[in-house]
Amino acid sequence: MSRVDRSFVFIYNSSMAEISVFIEDEVKRSYLDYAMSVIVGRALPDIRDGLKPVQRRILYSMYELGLFPRSPYKKCATVVGDVLGKYHPHGDMAVYDALARMAQDFSLRMPLIDGQGNFGSIDGDSPAAYRYTEARLSPIAMELLSDLDKDTVDFLPNFDRRLREPVVLPASFPNLLVQGASGIAVGMATNIPPHNFEEVISGLCALIDNPQVSIAELMKYIKGPDFPTGGIIVGTEGIKEAYETGKGKIVIRGRVKFEEVKGGKERLVITEIPYQVNKASLIAKIAELVKEKRIEGISDLRDESDKDGMRIVIDLKRDTAKEVVLSNLYKLTPLQETYGIIFLGLIDNSPKIFNLKEYLEGFLNFRYETFVRKTKFLLQKAEEKAHILSGFKVCLANIDAVIALIKKAKDTDVARDELMKRFRLSSAQAEAILEMRLARLTRLEREKIEEEYQGLLKEINRLKSILSSRKNILAEIKKELLLLKERFPQERRTEIIPGPVEEIRLEDLIEEEDTSVIITHKGYIKRMSVSSYRKQARGGVGRSGLEVQEEDFVTGLFVATTHDYLLFFTDKGKVYYKKVYEIPEGGFASRGRNLINLLELEKEEKITSYLAVRDFKAKGYVFMVTKKGRVKKSPLSLFANPRKKGILAIKLDKDDELKDTFLTSGKDEVFLFTKKGKGIRFKESDVREMGRQASGVLGIRLEKDDSVIDGTIGRKDAKLLILTEKGYGKLVPYSSFPIRKRGGKGVIAGKVSEKAGFLLRALGVKDEDDIILITKMGQVMRMKVSEVKAGSRQALGVRLITLRKGDSLTDCARVAKEEE
């Protein structure tokens, strides 16, 4: 057997006797002592009040100095000196740094110190020296210190045993979860994110109501971290893992919005950044990546942040895909960060990793203990005061005898003993009677004493009732928590996008909303919120919806949501794809952006129709109508693989072009309308399913110089709105068109005249719908369908919009009630 030599050293015990020990044993013991000193005395927060020792001592020192929320500010140098001299004999900058952090609204969700002066910035600027800054306690900090004078917590001697300091503050809310904490100890670290105050209170109340509540049920109240800097948490798996096990990772992204600027350019504006990210460093990193050409398409970068909020502006070069730039910013810069959650804190002076429920239970047990101690303290004080008042009552009932006894007594001691003996009073009662002022002998004062005594009896009964059961105590704690929730309302700042991180796409970060898309004859496109249009009565003149140039005019408008796919069908039978949110957003006076910069169109290729599609997996067909009256239907699933250069949708003859497209179910009835006022109705089943390479079959037989202007499908709950070029319109029932076989000449659909012009559009609408009309000169008007009069197929219709000289109606879109 091999023998391991063990070295030993000589040390001395407290009586200076020499003792020999093995050196490795002494090093191990000393290191463990040091480690525990760091863990308990510096680095880790206590789960009860959520504070580290230096933070607790700062708040207690300010409490002793009387720096309450409505008190005047005092120099931070005063606080730092007081803390160093009384409770925390360490470096002054360590104390001041801890003080400054508790005053930073970008570090704590609810700052515990109300600071005046420069306490640093999110750019990483250091606080001003403590001789320049001032501070006092914030209102929420008082909820950590409330009832400190009511025997709620234990006190221990300070470092030199001259004074006493609280072991822990009697926090009335779960401060550790609300404010968060971070710290590195010896062999361990904690990283607890801040949370929303209202959510945490709601979760704690749920635990009070149901001690068996699960973590999944608690997460209905406590959604996840809520950082003071806002941002977006991508995915919920990391939150769930952290709440269940005490450890987890979450991905935080900054909030970015797109803005359109003059000249068709766009910009990215960062309004929120991930927690603990240095704004100046983020901007420097972006600039470095642009200089190294690792991120391309950025023309300018500047910080426009002010007192109203953060605003980092990134101007993009013309024709730059903003989604690509944003994706690179997330990948290569701190605009996206991974935050490692470690719920580690001190429980009974020992470090422990805890899950969400264990923390709430630990705090609730602490709050239960402090509340019981406070209630017992108040009960004792009430009983002591009631005891004195009962002595006063005896005195007042025998006032003449008491006065005579006191006058005859040799001294105070004799008087006290005689009072105790004759009226059966306690020493405290007799002493209080001797110290009682003569003014209290008046009738009014005697009534006040009786009233106060009866009030104390009621208060004693109330306090005893509370202490009689755990249920009553928890009910009172819950009542206090709900009052705090009402006093300190907090809106959530950090958005949480559900789902696994890997499934989160760029569009998940973009709010889904209804939007109208406008396209001009020269190919300019933009989107606007549907709510931008105000309703007008029939016959109004509308308002300018687009700034059009000379010889340009609006040709299309339709309604979709920002998450829909846009299928752009061209006159050459091809289809291109874009997401609605990829279309630049603009105001009423905005010109928009040219489609040439968004789609890789062929030379002289024009967009003729558009479809908004939510899901290509849905059952259904794309039904196509050509100018020469040919029709075709293809399964929607055939269009699920987009290409930048587009794919073929229908094979066309040389003199034909794709005019219209719409989605069908396979069992619909199809309506086609021509410029010269003809319409035909036939069953969709008359047209067989075809592939993308097919050219289709005949839908309607046209007269000379006539062409198809529109197509739609019949709906039982809707009517046909037929419009003419000069602003006339009418509502016609679908049933007024007889069913024919595909390929017929059709019947009269509308009256064509010099006054009304040729037919322009025919679309299905409901009475409760709104419609948006748009003209060649860019006038836009929104009106109710119910304002349009019904008419026969042969009728002219009524004027819907008053046109200016030389203007004409070019398009119309339906806005259904459910879309609003």
Side-chain angles (χ1 to χ4, degrees):
M1 294 179 63
S2 62
R3 184 174 62 85
V4 179
D5 292 329
R6 301 183 70 192
S7 302
F8 62 89
V9 294
F10 294 103
I11 63 173
Y12 296 91
N13 62 12
S14 57
S15 60
M16 297 304 292
E18 187 179 274
I19 304 172
S20 62
V21 296
F22 289 108
I23 191 169
E24 57 265 43
D25 293 338
E26 179 60 24
V27 169
K28 183 187 294 184
R29 184 186 63 80
S30 299
Y31 185 77
L32 287 174
D33 289 345
Y34 162 74
M36 286 307 298
S37 174
V38 172
I39 289 168
V40 176
R42 295 189 187 182
L44 298 185
D46 195 300
I47 71 161
R48 294 173 291 180
D49 61 4
L51 300 172
K52 299 177 184 179
V54 65
Q55 296 171 322
R56 186 179 302 117
R57 287 163 176 167
I58 290 169
L59 296 180
Y60 180 62
S61 179
M62 294 178 73
Y63 175 83
E64 282 193 314
L65 289 170
L67 299 180
F68 304 130
R70 294 190 178 182
S71 303
Y73 292 95
K74 276 193 178 180
K75 291 288 184 182
C76 290
T78 303
V79 179
V80 172
D82 197 68
V83 172
L84 292 176
K86 291 181 178 179
Y87 308 113
H88 199 75
H90 298 282
D92 59 340
M93 289 313 299
V95 174
Y96 184 52
D97 287 345
L99 186 154
R101 188 180 184 278
M102 288 193 287
Q104 294 170 346
D105 58 4
F106 53 87
S107 293
L108 267 63
R109 188 62 179 82
M110 301 174 74
L112 298 173
I113 290 177
D114 177 10
Q116 184 168 265
N118 174 19
F119 281 88
S121 73
I122 200 169
D123 287 317
D125 300 318
S126 299
Y130 51 57
R131 62 181 177 274
Y132 299 119
T133 56
E134 298 178 331
R136 63 186 179 188
L137 293 168
S138 69
I140 193 66
M142 296 304 297
E143 299 305 321
L144 296 177
L145 295 154
S146 62
D147 302 324
L148 193 59
D149 58 346
K150 294 182 176 61
D151 191 36
T152 48
V153 293
D154 294 331
F155 281 68
L156 51 72
N158 70 333
F159 62 89
D160 61 4
R161 299 187 175 275
R162 290 184 301 112
L163 305 167
R164 297 179 66 79
E165 61 177 310
V167 174
V168 66
L169 299 184
S172 59
F173 68 94
N175 182 59
L176 182 56
L177 207 58
V178 172
Q179 309 291 12
S182 62
I184 300 174
V186 179
M188 60 186 69
T190 185
N191 206 27
I192 302 171
H195 287 73
N196 183 271
F197 182 79
E198 290 191 34
E199 292 181 6
V200 172
I201 295 298
S202 297
L204 193 58
C205 290
L207 179 64
I208 292 173
D209 293 336
N210 178 20
Q212 306 305 319
V213 65
S214 66
I215 291 177
E217 290 171 327
L218 286 173
M219 288 183 66
K220 294 178 181 178
Y221 303 95
I222 305 174
K223 311 293 184 183
D226 187 23
F227 299 104
T229 53
I232 300 168
I233 297 175
V234 185
T236 56
E237 287 301 314
I239 300 173
K240 184 179 178 182
E241 183 181 3
Y243 285 172
E244 290 178 345
T245 67
K247 290 185 177 182
K249 292 182 179 180
I250 59 174
V251 175
I252 315 171
R253 285 178 173 174
R255 189 176 297 278
V256 182
K257 64 179 181 179
F258 302 127
E259 289 184 0
E260 183 185 1
V261 293
K262 292 182 179 179
K265 294 183 179 180
E266 291 183 287
R267 63 167 58 131
L268 304 180
V269 180
I270 302 172
T271 57
E272 296 173 4
I273 61 176
Y275 183 54
Q276 293 179 334
V277 167
N278 185 305
K279 176 162 65 71
S281 298
L282 171 64
I283 295 172
K285 181 64 176 178
I286 296 172
E288 179 187 343
L289 292 171
V290 172
K291 185 177 180 181
E292 294 174 353
K293 295 187 177 180
R294 294 179 63 189
I295 296 182
E296 297 183 343
I298 294 177
S299 62
D300 191 22
L301 170 66
R302 60 190 178 277
D303 187 1
E304 296 182 356
S305 305
D306 56 21
K307 60 181 178 63
D308 296 321
M310 184 181 297
R311 182 178 170 85
I312 303 171
V313 179
I314 303 172
D315 287 330
L316 303 181
K317 296 177 182 178
R318 192 185 302 276
D319 303 334
T320 297
K322 57 181 178 293
E323 294 80 15
V324 175
V325 176
L326 180 58
S327 179
N328 286 331
L329 289 173
Y330 284 144
K331 290 178 183 177
L332 303 175
T333 75
L335 192 59
Q336 175 174 302
E337 288 280 87
T338 298
Y339 186 97
I341 298 175
I342 306 174
F343 285 119
L344 175 67
L346 294 176
I347 300 177
D348 297 329
N349 275 342
S350 296
K352 180 183 177 182
I353 292 178
F354 46 83
N355 62 34
L356 178 63
K357 186 177 180 181
E358 287 173 340
Y359 167 72
L360 293 177
E361 287 175 336
F363 174 79
L364 187 58
N365 290 336
F366 167 68
R367 184 61 186 148
Y368 182 90
E369 178 189 340
T370 57
F371 187 88
V372 169
R373 289 181 62 164
K374 179 186 76 170
T375 307
K376 287 182 176 179
F377 176 85
L378 294 175
L379 177 61
Q380 180 184 345
K381 292 297 181 183
E383 287 176 336
E384 288 175 357
K385 193 168 185 180
H387 179 66
I388 298 299
L389 290 179
S390 66
F392 283 178
K393 289 182 64 180
V394 171
C395 170
L396 294 173
N398 303 275
I399 188 63
D400 293 334
V402 168
I403 292 173
L405 185 151
I406 294 172
K407 287 173 67 177
K408 291 179 181 179
K410 179 182 177 182
D411 53 30
T412 303
D413 291 338
V414 173
R416 182 177 62 250
D417 293 340
E418 287 296 323
L419 285 171
M420 292 170 61
K421 181 178 179 180
R422 181 170 178 180
F423 299 105
R424 298 181 180 179
L425 300 175
S426 67
S427 176
Q429 289 175 320
E431 193 71 40
I433 290 171
L434 291 173
E435 293 176 358
M436 186 172 61
R437 294 166 54 210
L438 291 175
R440 303 210 68 178
L441 300 180
T442 63
R443 181 184 298 175
L444 185 60
E445 285 295 321
R446 289 159 68 181
E447 291 175 357
K448 284 184 179 180
I449 290 172
E450 178 63 29
E451 184 179 340
E452 186 179 1
Y453 179 71
Q454 294 301 323
L456 281 172
L457 293 180
K458 290 181 181 179
E459 179 65 8
I460 290 169
N461 290 333
R462 186 186 74 84
L463 294 173
K464 286 183 177 180
S465 175
I466 291 173
L467 291 170
S468 65
S469 72
R470 179 179 176 85
K471 181 180 178 181
N472 292 346
I473 294 170
L474 290 176
E476 290 297 316
I477 292 173
K478 181 180 177 181
K479 189 185 298 183
E480 288 186 356
L481 289 170
L482 293 176
L483 286 174
L484 284 177
K485 183 178 176 181
E486 186 178 334
R487 281 183 56 205
F488 299 98
Q490 294 288 317
E491 292 185 4
R492 170 167 278 279
R493 297 180 189 175
T494 302
E495 182 183 353
I496 301 174
I497 299 177
V501 175
E502 59 271 12
E503 294 181 6
I504 300 299
R505 301 161 295 176
L506 176 61
E507 66 186 71
D508 295 319
L509 304 179
I510 297 171
E511 182 181 1
E512 184 172 6
E513 63 176 349
D514 294 314
T515 184
S516 61
V517 180
I518 302 174
I519 303 175
T520 73
H521 173 68
K522 287 194 172 182
Y524 284 90
I525 186 171
K526 73 170 181 178
R527 63 183 171 91
M528 296 174 60
S529 174
V530 170
S531 60
S532 301
Y533 302 104
R534 66 173 184 269
K535 296 178 183 178
Q536 295 186 17
R538 177 172 62 83
V541 296
R543 68 176 292 184
S544 177
L546 188 71
E547 182 182 298
V548 292
Q549 291 187 325
E550 189 177 354
E551 299 179 356
D552 194 11
F553 56 89
V554 175
T555 57
L557 182 151
F558 65 97
V559 176
T561 73
T562 48
H563 285 200
D564 287 349
Y565 289 91
L566 287 187
L567 275 58
F568 295 87
F569 292 86
T570 71
D571 56 349
K572 293 186 178 182
K574 292 182 69 177
V575 59
Y576 297 82
Y577 298 75
K578 278 290 176 185
K579 281 282 193 176
V580 173
Y581 67 77
E582 295 179 298
I583 306 300
E585 188 172 7
F588 277 100
S590 171
R591 182 184 180 190
R593 189 173 181 185
N594 202 306
L595 275 168
I596 296 174
N597 299 324
L598 294 175
L599 305 174
E600 296 186 17
L601 299 174
E602 296 179 7
K603 188 176 181 181
E604 296 182 356
E605 189 176 16
K606 296 180 180 178
I607 304 296
T608 56
S609 63
Y610 334 90
L611 288 179
V613 177
R614 185 71 184 205
D615 185 3
F616 288 104
K617 295 180 182 179
K619 293 182 179 180
Y621 298 90
V622 176
F623 200 97
M624 290 162 267
V625 180
T626 75
K627 186 177 180 180
K628 293 297 183 181
R630 298 189 70 81
V631 295
K632 170 189 169 183
K633 72 174 183 182
S634 300
L636 180 60
S637 58
L638 295 181
F639 298 85
N641 297 313
R643 298 176 189 169
K644 286 186 177 181
K645 295 188 177 181
I647 60 174
L648 184 67
I650 184 173
K651 186 177 180 181
L652 298 171
D653 295 334
K654 290 184 179 180
D655 58 345
D656 200 1
E657 61 184 57
L658 183 58
K659 188 67 179 176
D660 199 5
T661 56
F662 42 90
L663 299 174
T664 61
S665 65
K667 300 178 181 179
D668 293 311
E669 292 180 352
V670 179
F671 290 74
L672 303 181
F673 301 91
T674 74
K675 180 176 71 172
K676 289 188 174 182
K678 289 296 182 70
I680 189 171
R681 173 188 181 187
F682 60 86
K683 293 182 178 179
E684 182 188 348
S685 56
D686 290 350
V687 182
R688 71 179 186 277
E689 183 180 314
M690 304 177 202
R692 290 191 294 104
Q693 303 292 332
S695 59
V697 295
L698 188 65
I700 186 171
R701 196 175 302 277
L702 300 174
E703 297 178 0
K704 187 179 180 181
D705 297 330
D706 200 3
S707 60
V708 173
I709 54 112
D710 225 339
T712 186
I713 58 174
R715 294 190 297 169
K716 293 181 180 180
D717 59 343
K719 301 175 184 177
L720 275 168
L721 174 65
I722 298 178
L723 303 167
T724 68
E725 293 175 325
K726 294 189 177 181
Y728 284 81
K730 62 182 178 181
L731 290 174
V732 180
Y734 282 101
S735 58
S736 63
F737 289 86
I739 297 178
R740 294 284 192 262
K741 284 292 183 181
R742 172 186 59 79
K745 290 185 177 180
V747 297
I748 294 174
K751 189 174 181 179
V752 176
S753 64
E754 184 178 350
K755 181 179 180 181
F758 290 111
L759 261 62
L760 174 74
R761 290 297 310 272
L763 63 160
V765 294
K766 299 178 184 179
D767 287 338
E768 62 268 24
D769 290 343
D770 291 348
I771 55 172
I772 296 176
L773 304 175
I774 196 159
T775 76
K776 183 178 180 179
M777 291 184 177
Q779 296 302 114
V780 176
M781 187 179 81
R782 181 170 178 167
M783 63 180 292
K784 293 180 177 292
V785 169
S786 58
E787 295 179 9
V788 182
K789 292 183 178 180
S792 65
R793 289 192 287 108
Q794 295 81 7
L796 177 68
V798 295
R799 182 179 294 279
L800 301 184
I801 185 170
T802 302
L803 301 174
R804 296 184 177 94
K805 187 177 180 180
D807 200 4
S808 61
L809 196 62
T810 59
D811 212 342
C812 174
R814 178 182 67 89
V815 184
K817 282 291 180 183
E818 57 268 25
E819 292 173 332
E820 293 182 318

PDB file of all heavy atoms in Angstrom, residues 680-683 685-686 698-701 738-746:
ATOM      1  N   ILE A 680     -72.524  36.599 -65.954  1.00  0.00           N
ATOM      2  CA  ILE A 680     -72.897  35.197 -66.050  1.00  0.00           C
ATOM      3  C   ILE A 680     -72.682  34.521 -64.706  1.00  0.00           C
ATOM      4  O   ILE A 680     -71.770  34.875 -63.950  1.00  0.00           O
ATOM      5  CB  ILE A 680     -72.081  34.471 -67.154  1.00  0.00           C
ATOM      6  CG1 ILE A 680     -72.636  33.067 -67.383  1.00  0.00           C
ATOM      7  CG2 ILE A 680     -70.600  34.398 -66.800  1.00  0.00           C
ATOM      8  CD1 ILE A 680     -72.037  32.355 -68.585  1.00  0.00           C
ATOM      9  N   ARG A 681     -73.561  33.563 -64.427  1.00  0.00           N
ATOM     10  CA  ARG A 681     -73.487  32.789 -63.181  1.00  0.00           C
ATOM     11  C   ARG A 681     -73.435  31.314 -63.537  1.00  0.00           C
ATOM     12  O   ARG A 681     -74.277  30.824 -64.280  1.00  0.00           O
ATOM     13  CB  ARG A 681     -74.716  33.104 -62.340  1.00  0.00           C
ATOM     14  CG  ARG A 681     -74.895  32.258 -61.081  1.00  0.00           C
ATOM     15  CD  ARG A 681     -76.259  32.566 -60.467  1.00  0.00           C
ATOM     16  NE  ARG A 681     -76.511  31.819 -59.258  1.00  0.00           N
ATOM     17  CZ  ARG A 681     -77.688  31.810 -58.614  1.00  0.00           C
ATOM     18  NH1 ARG A 681     -78.698  32.525 -59.093  1.00  0.00           N
ATOM     19  NH2 ARG A 681     -77.846  31.098 -57.509  1.00  0.00           N
ATOM     20  N   PHE A 682     -72.430  30.607 -63.025  1.00  0.00           N
ATOM     21  CA  PHE A 682     -72.338  29.165 -63.264  1.00  0.00           C
ATOM     22  C   PHE A 682     -71.705  28.494 -62.058  1.00  0.00           C
ATOM     23  O   PHE A 682     -71.091  29.146 -61.209  1.00  0.00           O
ATOM     24  CB  PHE A 682     -71.550  28.858 -64.550  1.00  0.00           C
ATOM     25  CG  PHE A 682     -70.141  29.365 -64.558  1.00  0.00           C
ATOM     26  CD1 PHE A 682     -69.104  28.630 -64.010  1.00  0.00           C
ATOM     27  CD2 PHE A 682     -69.838  30.600 -65.121  1.00  0.00           C
ATOM     28  CE1 PHE A 682     -67.809  29.088 -64.025  1.00  0.00           C
ATOM     29  CE2 PHE A 682     -68.535  31.088 -65.125  1.00  0.00           C
ATOM     30  CZ  PHE A 682     -67.518  30.322 -64.579  1.00  0.00           C
ATOM     31  N   LYS A 683     -71.849  27.173 -61.990  1.00  0.00           N
ATOM     32  CA  LYS A 683     -71.325  26.406 -60.872  1.00  0.00           C
ATOM     33  C   LYS A 683     -69.826  26.210 -61.016  1.00  0.00           C
ATOM     34  O   LYS A 683     -69.340  25.927 -62.105  1.00  0.00           O
ATOM     35  CB  LYS A 683     -72.022  25.053 -60.775  1.00  0.00           C
ATOM     36  CG  LYS A 683     -73.490  25.148 -60.404  1.00  0.00           C
ATOM     37  CD  LYS A 683     -74.105  23.777 -60.269  1.00  0.00           C
ATOM     38  CE  LYS A 683     -75.581  23.875 -59.850  1.00  0.00           C
ATOM     39  NZ  LYS A 683     -76.209  22.532 -59.735  1.00  0.00           N
ATOM     40  N   SER A 685     -68.195  23.795 -60.062  1.00  0.00           N
ATOM     41  CA  SER A 685     -67.937  22.403 -60.429  1.00  0.00           C
ATOM     42  C   SER A 685     -67.880  22.203 -61.944  1.00  0.00           C
ATOM     43  O   SER A 685     -67.403  21.157 -62.407  1.00  0.00           O
ATOM     44  CB  SER A 685     -69.008  21.490 -59.824  1.00  0.00           C
ATOM     45  OG  SER A 685     -70.302  21.907 -60.237  1.00  0.00           O
ATOM     46  N   ASP A 686     -68.366  23.196 -62.706  1.00  0.00           N
ATOM     47  CA  ASP A 686     -68.261  23.114 -64.167  1.00  0.00           C
ATOM     48  C   ASP A 686     -66.809  23.243 -64.626  1.00  0.00           C
ATOM     49  O   ASP A 686     -66.491  22.946 -65.788  1.00  0.00           O
ATOM     50  CB  ASP A 686     -69.086  24.227 -64.827  1.00  0.00           C
ATOM     51  CG  ASP A 686     -70.581  23.992 -64.676  1.00  0.00           C
ATOM     52  OD1 ASP A 686     -70.957  22.887 -64.236  1.00  0.00           O
ATOM     53  OD2 ASP A 686     -71.366  24.906 -64.984  1.00  0.00           O
ATOM     54  N   LEU A 698     -63.105  28.081 -71.212  1.00  0.00           N
ATOM     55  CA  LEU A 698     -63.917  29.271 -71.460  1.00  0.00           C
ATOM     56  C   LEU A 698     -64.948  29.466 -70.347  1.00  0.00           C
ATOM     57  O   LEU A 698     -65.689  28.548 -70.007  1.00  0.00           O
ATOM     58  CB  LEU A 698     -64.624  29.145 -72.817  1.00  0.00           C
ATOM     59  CG  LEU A 698     -65.357  30.397 -73.307  1.00  0.00           C
ATOM     60  CD1 LEU A 698     -64.352  31.528 -73.568  1.00  0.00           C
ATOM     61  CD2 LEU A 698     -66.160  30.095 -74.571  1.00  0.00           C
ATOM     62  N   GLY A 699     -65.027  30.690 -69.830  1.00  0.00           N
ATOM     63  CA  GLY A 699     -65.987  30.991 -68.781  1.00  0.00           C
ATOM     64  C   GLY A 699     -67.176  31.778 -69.292  1.00  0.00           C
ATOM     65  O   GLY A 699     -68.318  31.520 -68.918  1.00  0.00           O
ATOM     66  N   ILE A 700     -66.930  32.780 -70.129  1.00  0.00           N
ATOM     67  CA  ILE A 700     -67.989  33.594 -70.728  1.00  0.00           C
ATOM     68  C   ILE A 700     -67.581  33.949 -72.144  1.00  0.00           C
ATOM     69  O   ILE A 700     -66.417  34.228 -72.425  1.00  0.00           O
ATOM     70  CB  ILE A 700     -68.250  34.872 -69.890  1.00  0.00           C
ATOM     71  CG1 ILE A 700     -69.447  35.640 -70.432  1.00  0.00           C
ATOM     72  CG2 ILE A 700     -67.019  35.742 -69.801  1.00  0.00           C
ATOM     73  CD1 ILE A 700     -69.900  36.792 -69.527  1.00  0.00           C
ATOM     74  N   ARG A 701     -68.556  33.915 -73.051  1.00  0.00           N
ATOM     75  CA  ARG A 701     -68.306  34.248 -74.447  1.00  0.00           C
ATOM     76  C   ARG A 701     -68.529  35.757 -74.615  1.00  0.00           C
ATOM     77  O   ARG A 701     -69.606  36.256 -74.313  1.00  0.00           O
ATOM     78  CB  ARG A 701     -69.232  33.447 -75.356  1.00  0.00           C
ATOM     79  CG  ARG A 701     -68.802  33.432 -76.830  1.00  0.00           C
ATOM     80  CD  ARG A 701     -69.700  32.514 -77.637  1.00  0.00           C
ATOM     81  NE  ARG A 701     -69.699  31.146 -77.112  1.00  0.00           N
ATOM     82  CZ  ARG A 701     -68.761  30.239 -77.397  1.00  0.00           C
ATOM     83  NH1 ARG A 701     -67.769  30.567 -78.212  1.00  0.00           N
ATOM     84  NH2 ARG A 701     -68.835  29.034 -76.884  1.00  0.00           N
ATOM     85  N   PRO A 738     -79.680  34.245 -63.389  1.00  0.00           N
ATOM     86  CA  PRO A 738     -79.995  32.819 -63.564  1.00  0.00           C
ATOM     87  C   PRO A 738     -78.718  31.996 -63.749  1.00  0.00           C
ATOM     88  O   PRO A 738     -77.729  32.483 -64.263  1.00  0.00           O
ATOM     89  CB  PRO A 738     -80.842  32.799 -64.837  1.00  0.00           C
ATOM     90  CG  PRO A 738     -80.409  34.007 -65.601  1.00  0.00           C
ATOM     91  CD  PRO A 738     -80.067  35.039 -64.569  1.00  0.00           C
ATOM     92  N   ILE A 739     -78.799  30.741 -63.287  1.00  0.00           N
ATOM     93  CA  ILE A 739     -77.644  29.852 -63.447  1.00  0.00           C
ATOM     94  C   ILE A 739     -77.566  29.384 -64.898  1.00  0.00           C
ATOM     95  O   ILE A 739     -78.554  28.916 -65.471  1.00  0.00           O
ATOM     96  CB  ILE A 739     -77.747  28.645 -62.493  1.00  0.00           C
ATOM     97  CG1 ILE A 739     -77.720  29.110 -61.025  1.00  0.00           C
ATOM     98  CG2 ILE A 739     -76.612  27.653 -62.756  1.00  0.00           C
ATOM     99  CD1 ILE A 739     -77.854  27.984 -60.034  1.00  0.00           C
ATOM    100  N   ARG A 740     -76.398  29.508 -65.496  1.00  0.00           N
ATOM    101  CA  ARG A 740     -76.162  29.078 -66.865  1.00  0.00           C
ATOM    102  C   ARG A 740     -74.990  28.104 -66.883  1.00  0.00           C
ATOM    103  O   ARG A 740     -74.270  27.954 -65.907  1.00  0.00           O
ATOM    104  CB  ARG A 740     -75.830  30.283 -67.752  1.00  0.00           C
ATOM    105  CG  ARG A 740     -76.992  31.274 -67.916  1.00  0.00           C
ATOM    106  CD  ARG A 740     -78.038  30.711 -68.878  1.00  0.00           C
ATOM    107  NE  ARG A 740     -78.991  31.753 -69.255  1.00  0.00           N
ATOM    108  CZ  ARG A 740     -80.183  31.917 -68.688  1.00  0.00           C
ATOM    109  NH1 ARG A 740     -80.543  31.120 -67.691  1.00  0.00           N
ATOM    110  NH2 ARG A 740     -80.991  32.873 -69.097  1.00  0.00           N
ATOM    111  N   LYS A 741     -74.797  27.510 -68.005  1.00  0.00           N
ATOM    112  CA  LYS A 741     -73.619  26.676 -68.194  1.00  0.00           C
ATOM    113  C   LYS A 741     -72.424  27.565 -68.471  1.00  0.00           C
ATOM    114  O   LYS A 741     -72.538  28.625 -69.079  1.00  0.00           O
ATOM    115  CB  LYS A 741     -73.831  25.706 -69.356  1.00  0.00           C
ATOM    116  CG  LYS A 741     -74.734  24.526 -69.050  1.00  0.00           C
ATOM    117  CD  LYS A 741     -74.062  23.588 -68.062  1.00  0.00           C
ATOM    118  CE  LYS A 741     -74.928  22.359 -67.806  1.00  0.00           C
ATOM    119  NZ  LYS A 741     -74.302  21.447 -66.815  1.00  0.00           N
ATOM    120  N   ARG A 742     -71.271  27.104 -68.032  1.00  0.00           N
ATOM    121  CA  ARG A 742     -70.031  27.817 -68.322  1.00  0.00           C
ATOM    122  C   ARG A 742     -69.862  28.000 -69.830  1.00  0.00           C
ATOM    123  O   ARG A 742     -70.160  27.110 -70.621  1.00  0.00           O
ATOM    124  CB  ARG A 742     -68.856  27.019 -67.752  1.00  0.00           C
ATOM    125  CG  ARG A 742     -67.500  27.549 -68.143  1.00  0.00           C
ATOM    126  CD  ARG A 742     -66.405  26.633 -67.673  1.00  0.00           C
ATOM    127  NE  ARG A 742     -66.493  25.290 -68.201  1.00  0.00           N
ATOM    128  CZ  ARG A 742     -66.098  24.943 -69.437  1.00  0.00           C
ATOM    129  NH1 ARG A 742     -65.624  25.848 -70.267  1.00  0.00           N
ATOM    130  NH2 ARG A 742     -66.184  23.680 -69.836  1.00  0.00           N
ATOM    131  N   GLY A 743     -69.420  29.200 -70.233  1.00  0.00           N
ATOM    132  CA  GLY A 743     -69.145  29.456 -71.649  1.00  0.00           C
ATOM    133  C   GLY A 743     -70.260  30.184 -72.368  1.00  0.00           C
ATOM    134  O   GLY A 743     -70.142  30.466 -73.566  1.00  0.00           O
ATOM    135  N   GLY A 744     -71.349  30.560 -71.665  1.00  0.00           N
ATOM    136  CA  GLY A 744     -72.439  31.279 -72.298  1.00  0.00           C
ATOM    137  C   GLY A 744     -72.158  32.771 -72.435  1.00  0.00           C
ATOM    138  O   GLY A 744     -71.140  33.280 -71.950  1.00  0.00           O
ATOM    139  N   LYS A 745     -73.085  33.524 -73.057  1.00  0.00           N
ATOM    140  CA  LYS A 745     -72.912  34.960 -73.261  1.00  0.00           C
ATOM    141  C   LYS A 745     -73.322  35.776 -72.032  1.00  0.00           C
ATOM    142  O   LYS A 745     -72.979  36.946 -71.907  1.00  0.00           O
ATOM    143  CB  LYS A 745     -73.718  35.425 -74.469  1.00  0.00           C
ATOM    144  CG  LYS A 745     -73.165  34.927 -75.806  1.00  0.00           C
ATOM    145  CD  LYS A 745     -73.955  35.538 -76.956  1.00  0.00           C
ATOM    146  CE  LYS A 745     -73.369  35.110 -78.309  1.00  0.00           C
ATOM    147  NZ  LYS A 745     -74.124  35.688 -79.448  1.00  0.00           N
ATOM    148  N   GLY A 746     -74.113  35.163 -71.134  1.00  0.00           N
ATOM    149  CA  GLY A 746     -74.533  35.880 -69.941  1.00  0.00           C
ATOM    150  C   GLY A 746     -75.775  36.721 -70.155  1.00  0.00           C
ATOM    151  O   GLY A 746     -76.395  36.715 -71.236  1.00  0.00           O
TER     152      GLY A 746
END
